[in-house]
Amino acid sequence: MATPTLTRPAPRTSEGLRRPRTKMTAGKVAALVVAAFIAVLWLVPFAWATATAFKTETDAASPKVSWMPPSGFTAEAFVKVFQDGNIPLWTWNSFYTSAAITAITLVISALVAYALSRIDFKGKKVLMTVIIASIIIPPPVLIIPLFYQMLALHLIDTSWAIILPQVIHPAMVFVLKKFFDQIPRELEEAAVMDGASRLRIFTQIILPLSRPILAAVAIFVFIGAWNNFLWPFIATNDGALLTLPVGLQTIKSAYGIQYAQNMASALLAALPLILVFLFFQRQIIKGVATTGLAGT
């Protein structure tokens, strides 16, 4: 009787683990060309602003358009901005107010969204309708009521006057609610059977599963708070409380428009946001892809 022989399977080579190459079709090539063209269109104004910021005021104001200035590139505009304004203080004011707005907004929006998604209470549909309707209200319409409210609370010329009116974001409540609706309820039911409270379910189940959208919402709120010019300009008169967008507008020359200096100021204001996007672009893309944020 012949004994069966055990044959060892042949080892898998690295070629077998390689993913098949995607075939480039005419449609994909056309899409790449269009995307590259749009990217170039977006980068040209930014590149022009950067080149202008490193020119002298004479070259920047010259009617002859040129990427390479006759006098060469210089950092005089940036030096002038730092000399005329308190850039470190304004940057710090923008950072901590934007961070506070982001943190408070996340807490409020997540709690409200979870209640709308999981808890049945009287007036729920009415509240959801009000939240959706408030999304279409232009923010400038609320400036006068908010100013009188901060004035009544004696918060004008304080950091809270900048922070508190910006912590309510109906759009973010709607986005988080839609994401919470996609989380299976069976996870919560199993936790309830184990004796978990609703607060524990929210903090240990819902929030960990919602990290992508929470990161995306945090980044969007931070960018909006950082770029906000009108409300901090109205709510504060104290020079020590100026945010970076407001403070940079105070650096104006009495001799007309300083193009290089204005471009340098714009780059300084945009640089932190560019760094935020570069470091957290994966979270932004993941949050948008998993929630349909682009369509809201």
Side-chain angles (χ1 to χ4, degrees):
M1 182 176 177
T3 58
T5 58
L6 299 176
T7 58
R8 181 177 297 177
R12 300 177 67 181
T13 61
S14 59
E15 296 180 356
L17 298 176
R18 292 178 181 175
R19 295 181 179 179
R21 295 182 178 179
T22 57
K23 186 177 180 180
M24 294 297 294
T25 61
K28 291 182 179 180
V29 173
L32 289 176
V33 171
V34 172
F37 178 73
I38 295 175
V40 170
L41 287 180
W42 183 87
L43 287 174
V44 166
F46 181 77
W48 178 256
T50 304
T52 304
F54 285 96
K55 294 179 181 179
T56 62
E57 291 295 344
T58 302
D59 292 336
S62 175
K64 183 179 179 180
V65 178
S66 63
W67 286 91
M68 300 298 295
S71 304
F73 292 105
T74 178
E76 292 180 0
F78 291 93
V79 174
K80 183 67 174 176
V81 170
F82 275 92
Q83 288 177 349
D84 293 346
N86 196 342
I87 302 298
L89 176 62
W90 298 341
T91 303
W92 167 248
N93 291 340
S94 289
F95 176 77
Y96 83 79
T97 54
S98 300
I101 292 169
T102 302
I104 299 174
T105 300
L106 279 180
V107 173
I108 295 176
S109 300
L111 290 173
V112 174
Y114 179 72
L116 293 173
S117 176
R118 291 296 194 263
I119 302 175
D120 292 327
F121 55 90
K122 189 176 181 180
K124 177 180 177 179
K125 293 184 179 179
V126 176
L127 178 59
M128 192 64 197
T129 303
V130 171
I131 291 176
I132 295 176
S134 61
I135 296 176
I136 65 176
I137 298 177
V141 175
L142 303 175
I143 286 180
I144 296 178
L146 287 174
F147 179 81
Y148 279 107
Q149 184 178 12
M150 294 296 105
L151 192 63
L153 295 174
H154 304 287
L155 293 178
I156 294 297
D157 272 343
T158 65
S159 298
W160 289 110
I162 301 175
I163 296 171
L164 291 180
Q166 300 187 68
V167 299
I168 305 300
H169 282 268
M172 300 307 165
V173 174
F174 178 77
V175 169
L176 289 174
K177 193 263 183 186
K178 287 298 182 182
F179 187 90
F180 292 160
D181 289 343
Q182 300 173 8
I183 299 177
R185 293 180 179 267
E186 289 78 7
L187 298 176
E188 298 178 62
E189 294 174 357
V192 171
M193 294 180 63
D194 291 338
S197 63
R198 189 172 293 277
L199 180 60
R200 185 178 179 184
I201 294 173
F202 176 70
T203 56
Q204 297 186 6
I205 296 178
I206 300 299
L207 292 184
L209 294 175
S210 306
R211 288 176 182 173
I213 185 58
L214 290 175
V217 167
I219 293 171
F220 289 136
V221 172
F222 184 88
I223 292 175
W226 183 281
N227 284 333
N228 196 348
F229 167 79
L230 185 58
W231 177 249
F233 175 76
I234 294 174
T236 57
N237 293 317
D238 189 355
L241 297 175
L242 296 181
T243 59
L244 189 59
V246 178
L248 290 175
Q249 294 301 315
T250 64
I251 309 175
K252 297 295 182 180
S253 174
Y255 301 99
I257 300 177
Q258 304 294 313
Y259 295 102
Q261 188 172 332
N262 287 346
M263 290 302 178
S265 300
L267 290 179
L268 289 175
L271 181 60
L273 300 183
I274 295 174
L275 296 177
V276 167
F277 180 79
L278 291 178
F279 282 109
F280 299 102
Q281 58 179 323
R282 294 182 62 182
Q283 286 79 358
I284 296 176
I285 296 172
K286 190 175 180 180
V288 172
T290 56
T291 62
L293 188 61
T296 58

